Amino acid sequence: MEASNSFVVVANRLPVDMTVHPDGSYSISPSPGGLVTGLSPVLEQHRGCWVGWPGTVDVAPEPFRTDTGVLLHPVKLTSSDFEGFYEGFSNATLWPLFHDLIVQPVYNTDWWQAFREVNLKFAEAVAQVSAPNATVWVQDYQLLLVPGILRQLRPDLKIGFFLHIPFPSPDLFRQLPWREEIVRGMLGADLVGFHLIQNAENFLALTKQVAGTAGSHTGQPDELEVHGTAKVRELGAYIRTPDARNVGVGAFPISIDVSAFGKASKSSVLNLLNDLGNPETTFLGVDRLDYTKGILQRLLAFEQLLEAGALDPEKAVLLQVATPSRERIDHYRVSRSQVEEAVGRINGRFGRMGHPVVHYLHRSLPKSELQILYSAADVMLVTPFKDGMNLVAKEYVANHRDGNGALVLSEFAGAAAELSGAYLCNPFDLESVKRQMVAAVYDLRQNPASARARMLANSEQVYSHDVNVWANSFLDCLKEAGENAKA
């Protein structure tokens, strides 16, 4: 394929879902998400290219253009690639390590080899489609080695890397047997972006400690700015690498496309509430079924509040949407079993015929249905043990621009740094979760002016710092970093 694309995004997944049918044919449907909505306008403007895996093994379509002119360039993975690279190293090694060892990472040399080989496949695909001096934006932890490989294959490229999950403290990261290679891969970029200043500080500190990657640093960690919130153009810090390049490091909190959210129709909300038994208080959780999300803990908190009489099972319900996720990995299967056991136990104890107190859905829902759930929920429960950002919290806020509703939010979610009106809890402490659930309900019922002020503060933050601010801030800083790379 001709290398004619001046702007290229590379991510583990393409922004489409590919389904292979029994006769060997396949169908492709859009798979919109926060990343897609944030990057699509830029790709469309530049008639850019998105490189990624189509979601199927051993088969991939030829490159094709979307209706808006964006070129999708599939990367073909074998079943062995998928098992070692994705299920293995990405999600059984890096994911738990980057989420502060909520479960023990597995350090498997075969998985590491698969990770290296697949990152090479992605990098070679990007090198093939990128025009001279193109801008390439590499996304997330599955592709940590791509910037470094690209730097060798195509030194003319301007390369940005963004990590969408937390970056751990150096003490944790140094457990990784392949720590030098990973950091060198990241330092192949001109700009490395994180959601939070703390993540950027962790990375800066690590590069001073890991042999073979350390360079000189300009700018101190406490001087880092949050791009896209402060709307500053100056980079927070540079790392001077051993090959005499300046790598910019900064914090860029991702957000959502607020234009896609708003109150659902009154009739659809009333119909849902009627199906739920017209409760006085509706709690809502929407998560991937992942052990980092704290779903079980919020169920236990809800159960204990019912048991203590702080919530009336005739007047309160909890609706939990748990999207299937990585179900072949042991820890995910265990998480699902624990969650579903808790749902059954709570309904057995406090529900009655035709009136469960927990309504549980283990499937994905389209955005139109999520809008109804967000609009109907009095209290949104977002209680992860650790989260890079958590866009569900922002989606709920965007649906309540009128100031109704309340958000109970883990202090360990990246969104907690921005949503000052949330009821912050410690998800490791059930008493903290329970206390904030009760506080949210109390304010909604007894102190509505305070509850409304809190939600309006959240809304102002989300609407003034949307996904376009995030994307434009990063790309502006990447342009600046690229110009300073050889300074």
Coordinates of all heavy atoms in Angstrom, one line a residue, residues 272-273 276 279 281-287 295 298-299 302 316-322 357-361 365 369-383 390 392-393 395-397 399-400 406-409 437 441:
L272 N -38.7 2.6 32.0 CA -37.7 1.8 32.8 C -38.0 1.8 34.2 O -37.9 0.7 34.9 CB -36.3 2.4 32.5 CG -35.2 1.8 33.4 CD1 -35.0 0.4 33.0 CD2 -33.9 2.6 33.2
L273 N -38.3 2.9 34.8 CA -38.6 3.0 36.3 C -39.8 2.1 36.6 O -39.8 1.5 37.7 CB -38.8 4.4 36.7 CG -37.5 5.3 36.6 CD1 -37.9 6.8 37.0 CD2 -36.5 4.8 37.6
L276 N -38.7 -1.3 36.9 CA -37.9 -1.6 38.1 C -38.8 -1.5 39.3 O -38.3 -1.7 40.4 CB -36.8 -0.5 38.2 CG -35.7 -0.5 37.1 CD1 -34.8 0.7 37.3 CD2 -35.0 -1.8 37.1
P279 N -38.9 2.6 42.0 CA -38.2 2.8 43.3 C -38.0 4.3 43.6 O -38.0 5.1 42.7 CB -36.8 2.1 43.1 CG -36.6 2.3 41.6 CD -38.0 2.1 41.0
T281 N -35.2 5.3 45.0 CA -33.8 5.5 44.7 C -33.2 4.4 43.8 O -33.4 3.2 44.1 CB -32.9 5.5 46.0 OG1 -33.4 6.5 46.9 CG2 -31.5 5.8 45.7
T282 N -32.7 4.8 42.7 CA -32.1 3.9 41.7 C -30.6 4.1 41.7 O -30.1 5.2 41.3 CB -32.7 4.1 40.3 OG1 -34.1 3.9 40.4 CG2 -32.1 3.1 39.3
F283 N -29.9 3.1 42.1 CA -28.4 3.1 42.0 C -28.0 2.4 40.7 O -28.7 1.4 40.2 CB -27.7 2.3 43.1 CG -27.9 2.9 44.5 CD1 -29.0 2.5 45.3 CD2 -27.0 3.9 45.0 CE1 -29.2 3.1 46.6 CE2 -27.2 4.4 46.2 CZ -28.3 4.0 47.0
L284 N -26.9 2.9 40.0 CA -26.5 2.3 38.8 C -25.0 2.1 38.7 O -24.2 2.9 39.2 CB -26.9 3.2 37.6 CG -26.4 2.9 36.2 CD1 -27.0 1.6 35.7 CD2 -26.7 4.0 35.2
G285 N -24.6 0.9 38.2 CA -23.2 0.7 37.9 C -23.1 0.2 36.5 O -23.9 -0.6 36.0
V286 N -22.1 0.7 35.7 CA -21.9 0.3 34.3 C -20.4 0.1 34.2 O -19.6 1.0 34.3 CB -22.4 1.3 33.3 CG1 -22.0 0.9 31.9 CG2 -23.9 1.6 33.4
D287 N -20.0 -1.2 34.0 CA -18.6 -1.5 34.0 C -18.3 -2.7 33.1 O -19.2 -3.5 32.8 CB -18.1 -1.9 35.4 CG -18.5 -1.0 36.5 OD1 -19.6 -1.2 37.0 OD2 -17.7 -0.2 36.9
I295 N -16.8 -4.1 41.4 CA -18.3 -4.4 41.3 C -18.7 -5.2 42.5 O -19.8 -4.9 43.1 CB -18.6 -5.2 40.0 CG1 -18.2 -4.4 38.7 CG2 -20.0 -5.5 39.9 CD1 -18.3 -5.1 37.4
R298 N -19.2 -3.0 45.6 CA -20.4 -2.1 45.7 C -21.6 -3.0 46.0 O -22.5 -2.5 46.6 CB -20.5 -1.3 44.4 CG -21.2 -1.9 43.2 CD -21.3 -1.0 42.1 NE -19.9 -0.5 41.7 CZ -19.5 -0.5 40.4 NH1 -20.3 -0.9 39.4 NH2 -18.3 -0.1 40.1
L299 N -21.6 -4.2 45.5 CA -22.7 -5.1 45.8 C -22.8 -5.4 47.3 O -23.8 -5.4 47.9 CB -22.6 -6.4 45.0 CG -22.9 -6.3 43.5 CD1 -22.5 -7.6 42.7 CD2 -24.4 -6.0 43.2
F302 N -24.1 -2.4 49.2 CA -25.5 -2.3 49.0 C -26.2 -3.4 49.9 O -27.2 -3.0 50.6 CB -25.9 -2.6 47.5 CG -27.3 -2.4 47.2 CD1 -28.0 -1.2 47.4 CD2 -28.1 -3.5 46.7 CE1 -29.3 -1.1 47.0 CE2 -29.4 -3.4 46.4 CZ -30.0 -2.1 46.6
A316 N -35.5 0.9 47.2 CA -34.2 1.1 46.5 C -33.9 -0.1 45.7 O -34.1 -1.3 46.0 CB -33.1 1.3 47.6
V317 N -33.3 0.1 44.5 CA -32.8 -0.9 43.6 C -31.4 -0.5 43.1 O -31.0 0.6 43.1 CB -33.7 -1.2 42.4 CG1 -35.1 -1.6 42.9 CG2 -33.8 0.0 41.5
L318 N -30.7 -1.6 42.8 CA -29.4 -1.4 42.1 C -29.4 -2.1 40.8 O -29.7 -3.3 40.7 CB -28.2 -2.0 43.0 CG -26.8 -1.6 42.7 CD1 -25.9 -1.8 43.8 CD2 -26.3 -2.4 41.5
L319 N -29.1 -1.3 39.7 CA -29.0 -1.9 38.4 C -27.5 -1.9 38.0 O -26.8 -0.9 38.0 CB -29.8 -1.0 37.4 CG -29.7 -1.4 35.9 CD1 -30.1 -2.8 35.7 CD2 -30.6 -0.4 35.1
Q320 N -27.0 -3.2 37.7 CA -25.6 -3.3 37.4 C -25.5 -3.9 36.0 O -26.0 -5.0 35.7 CB -24.9 -4.3 38.4 CG -23.5 -4.6 38.0 CD -22.6 -3.4 38.1 OE1 -22.5 -2.7 39.1 NE2 -21.9 -3.1 37.0
V321 N -24.8 -3.2 35.1 CA -24.5 -3.6 33.8 C -23.0 -4.0 33.8 O -22.2 -3.2 34.1 CB -24.7 -2.6 32.7 CG1 -24.3 -3.1 31.3 CG2 -26.2 -2.1 32.7
A322 N -22.8 -5.3 33.5 CA -21.4 -5.8 33.5 C -21.1 -6.4 32.2 O -21.5 -7.5 31.8 CB -21.3 -6.9 34.6
V357 N -34.1 -6.8 44.1 CA -33.5 -5.5 44.5 C -32.2 -5.2 43.6 O -31.7 -4.1 43.6 CB -33.1 -5.5 46.0 CG1 -34.4 -5.5 46.8 CG2 -32.3 -6.7 46.4
V358 N -31.6 -6.2 43.0 CA -30.5 -6.1 42.1 C -30.9 -6.6 40.7 O -31.3 -7.7 40.6 CB -29.2 -6.8 42.6 CG1 -28.1 -6.6 41.6 CG2 -28.8 -6.4 44.0
H359 N -30.8 -5.7 39.8 CA -31.1 -6.0 38.4 C -29.7 -6.1 37.7 O -29.0 -5.1 37.6 CB -32.0 -5.0 37.7 CG -33.4 -4.9 38.3 ND1 -34.5 -5.4 37.7 CD2 -33.7 -4.3 39.5 CE1 -35.5 -5.2 38.5 NE2 -35.1 -4.5 39.6
Y360 N -29.4 -7.3 37.2 CA -28.1 -7.6 36.7 C -28.1 -7.9 35.2 O -28.9 -8.8 34.8 CB -27.4 -8.7 37.5 CG -26.1 -9.2 37.0 CD1 -24.9 -8.5 37.2 CD2 -26.0 -10.4 36.3 CE1 -23.7 -9.0 36.8 CE2 -24.8 -10.9 35.9 CZ -23.7 -10.2 36.1 OH -22.5 -10.7 35.7
L361 N -27.3 -7.2 34.4 CA -27.2 -7.5 33.0 C -25.8 -7.8 32.6 O -24.9 -7.0 32.8 CB -27.7 -6.3 32.1 CG -29.1 -5.9 32.3 CD1 -29.4 -4.6 31.5 CD2 -30.1 -7.0 31.9
L365 N -24.6 -3.0 26.1 CA -25.8 -2.2 25.8 C -25.4 -1.1 24.8 O -24.3 -0.5 24.9 CB -26.4 -1.6 27.0 CG -27.0 -2.6 28.0 CD1 -27.6 -1.8 29.2 CD2 -28.0 -3.5 27.4
E369 N -29.5 2.9 24.9 CA -30.0 2.3 26.1 C -29.3 2.8 27.4 O -29.9 3.0 28.4 CB -30.0 0.7 26.1 CG -31.0 0.1 25.0 CD -31.0 -1.4 25.1 OE1 -30.8 -1.9 26.2 OE2 -31.2 -2.0 24.0
L370 N -28.0 3.0 27.2 CA -27.2 3.5 28.3 C -27.7 4.9 28.7 O -27.8 5.3 29.9 CB -25.7 3.6 28.0 CG -25.0 2.2 28.0 CD1 -23.6 2.4 27.6 CD2 -25.0 1.6 29.4
Q371 N -28.1 5.7 27.7 CA -28.6 7.0 27.9 C -29.9 7.0 28.9 O -30.0 7.8 29.8 CB -29.1 7.7 26.6 CG -28.0 7.9 25.6 CD -27.4 9.3 25.7 OE1 -27.3 9.9 26.8 NE2 -27.1 9.9 24.6
I372 N -30.7 6.0 28.6 CA -31.9 5.8 29.4 C -31.5 5.5 30.9 O -32.0 6.0 31.8 CB -32.8 4.8 28.8 CG1 -33.3 5.2 27.4 CG2 -34.0 4.5 29.8 CD1 -34.1 4.1 26.7
L373 N -30.6 4.6 31.0 CA -30.1 4.2 32.4 C -29.5 5.3 33.1 O -29.8 5.6 34.3 CB -29.1 3.0 32.3 CG -29.6 1.7 31.6 CD1 -28.5 0.7 31.7 CD2 -30.9 1.2 32.2
Y374 N -28.6 6.1 32.4 CA -28.0 7.2 33.0 C -29.0 8.2 33.5 O -29.0 8.8 34.6 CB -27.0 7.9 32.1 CG -25.8 7.2 31.7 CD1 -25.2 7.3 30.5 CD2 -25.1 6.4 32.7 CE1 -24.0 6.6 30.1 CE2 -23.9 5.7 32.4 CZ -23.4 5.8 31.1 OH -22.2 5.2 30.8
S375 N -30.0 8.5 32.6 CA -31.0 9.5 32.9 C -31.9 9.0 34.1 O -32.4 9.9 34.9 CB -31.9 9.7 31.7 OG -31.2 10.3 30.6
A376 N -32.2 7.7 34.2 CA -33.1 7.2 35.3 C -32.4 7.1 36.6 O -33.0 7.1 37.7 CB -33.6 5.9 34.9
A377 N -31.0 7.0 36.6 CA -30.3 6.7 37.9 C -30.2 7.9 38.8 O -29.8 9.0 38.3 CB -28.9 6.2 37.6
D378 N -30.6 7.7 40.0 CA -30.4 8.8 41.0 C -28.9 8.9 41.4 O -28.4 10.0 41.6 CB -31.3 8.5 42.2 CG -32.7 8.5 41.9 OD1 -33.3 9.5 41.5 OD2 -33.3 7.4 42.0
V379 N -28.3 7.7 41.6 CA -26.9 7.7 42.1 C -26.1 6.7 41.2 O -26.5 5.6 41.1 CB -26.9 7.2 43.6 CG1 -25.4 7.2 44.1 CG2 -27.7 8.1 44.5
M380 N -25.1 7.3 40.7 CA -24.1 6.5 39.8 C -23.0 6.0 40.7 O -22.4 6.8 41.5 CB -23.6 7.3 38.7 CG -22.7 6.6 37.7 SD -23.7 5.7 36.6 CE -22.6 4.3 36.1
L381 N -22.7 4.7 40.7 CA -21.7 4.1 41.5 C -20.5 3.7 40.6 O -20.6 2.8 39.7 CB -22.2 2.8 42.2 CG -23.4 3.0 43.1 CD1 -23.8 1.7 43.7 CD2 -23.1 4.0 44.2
V382 N -19.4 4.4 40.7 CA -18.2 4.2 40.0 C -17.1 3.9 41.0 O -16.5 4.9 41.6 CB -17.8 5.3 39.1 CG1 -16.5 5.0 38.3 CG2 -19.0 5.6 38.1
T383 N -16.8 2.7 41.3 CA -15.9 2.3 42.5 C -14.8 1.5 42.2 O -14.5 0.4 42.8 CB -16.8 1.7 43.6 OG1 -17.4 0.5 43.0 CG2 -17.9 2.6 44.1
N390 N -11.8 6.5 33.7 CA -13.2 6.1 33.8 C -14.1 7.1 33.2 O -14.6 8.1 33.8 CB -13.6 5.8 35.3 CG -14.9 5.0 35.3 OD1 -16.0 5.5 34.9 ND2 -14.8 3.7 35.7
V392 N -17.1 6.4 32.1 CA -18.5 6.2 32.5 C -19.0 7.3 33.5 O -20.1 7.8 33.4 CB -18.7 4.8 33.1 CG1 -20.0 4.7 33.9 CG2 -18.7 3.7 32.1
A393 N -18.1 7.6 34.4 CA -18.4 8.7 35.3 C -18.7 10.0 34.6 O -19.7 10.7 34.9 CB -17.2 8.9 36.3
E395 N -19.7 10.2 31.4 CA -20.9 10.0 30.6 C -22.2 10.3 31.5 O -23.1 10.9 31.1 CB -20.9 8.6 30.0 CG -19.9 8.4 28.9 CD -19.9 7.0 28.4 OE1 -20.6 6.1 29.0 OE2 -19.1 6.7 27.5
Y396 N -22.1 9.8 32.7 CA -23.3 10.0 33.6 C -23.4 11.5 33.9 O -24.5 12.0 33.9 CB -23.0 9.3 34.9 CG -24.1 9.5 36.0 CD1 -25.4 8.9 35.8 CD2 -23.9 10.4 37.0 CE1 -26.4 9.1 36.8 CE2 -24.9 10.6 38.0 CZ -26.2 10.0 37.8 OH -27.2 10.2 38.7
V397 N -22.3 12.2 34.2 CA -22.4 13.6 34.5 C -22.9 14.4 33.2 O -23.8 15.3 33.4 CB -21.0 14.1 34.8 CG1 -20.9 15.6 34.8 CG2 -20.5 13.6 36.2
N399 N -25.0 13.4 31.2 CA -26.4 13.2 31.0 C -27.2 13.9 32.1 O -28.4 13.9 32.1 CB -26.7 11.6 31.2 CG -27.2 11.0 29.9 OD1 -26.4 11.0 29.0 ND2 -28.4 10.6 29.8
H400 N -26.5 14.6 33.0 CA -27.2 15.3 34.1 C -26.8 16.7 34.2 O -26.5 17.2 35.2 CB -27.0 14.6 35.4 CG -27.7 13.2 35.5 ND1 -28.9 13.1 36.2 CD2 -27.4 12.0 35.0 CE1 -29.3 11.8 36.1 NE2 -28.4 11.2 35.4
A406 N -26.5 12.1 41.5 CA -25.3 12.2 42.3 C -24.3 11.1 41.9 O -24.7 10.0 41.4 CB -25.6 11.9 43.8
L407 N -23.0 11.4 42.0 CA -22.0 10.4 41.6 C -21.1 10.0 42.8 O -20.5 10.9 43.4 CB -21.1 11.1 40.5 CG -19.8 10.4 40.1 CD1 -20.1 9.1 39.4 CD2 -18.9 11.3 39.2
V408 N -21.1 8.7 43.1 CA -20.2 8.2 44.1 C -19.0 7.6 43.3 O -19.2 6.7 42.5 CB -20.9 7.1 44.9 CG1 -19.9 6.4 45.8 CG2 -22.1 7.6 45.7
L409 N -17.9 8.1 43.6 CA -16.7 7.9 42.8 C -15.5 7.5 43.6 O -15.2 8.1 44.6 CB -16.3 9.2 42.0 CG -15.1 9.1 41.1 CD1 -15.3 8.1 40.0 CD2 -14.9 10.5 40.5
M437 N -22.6 6.4 49.7 CA -23.9 6.0 49.1 C -25.0 6.7 49.9 O -25.9 7.3 49.4 CB -24.0 4.5 49.1 CG -23.1 3.8 48.0 SD -23.2 2.0 48.2 CE -24.9 1.7 47.6
V441 N -27.6 9.8 48.8 CA -29.1 9.7 48.9 C -29.6 10.8 49.8 O -30.7 11.4 49.5 CB -29.5 8.3 49.4 CG1 -31.0 8.2 49.6 CG2 -29.1 7.2 48.4

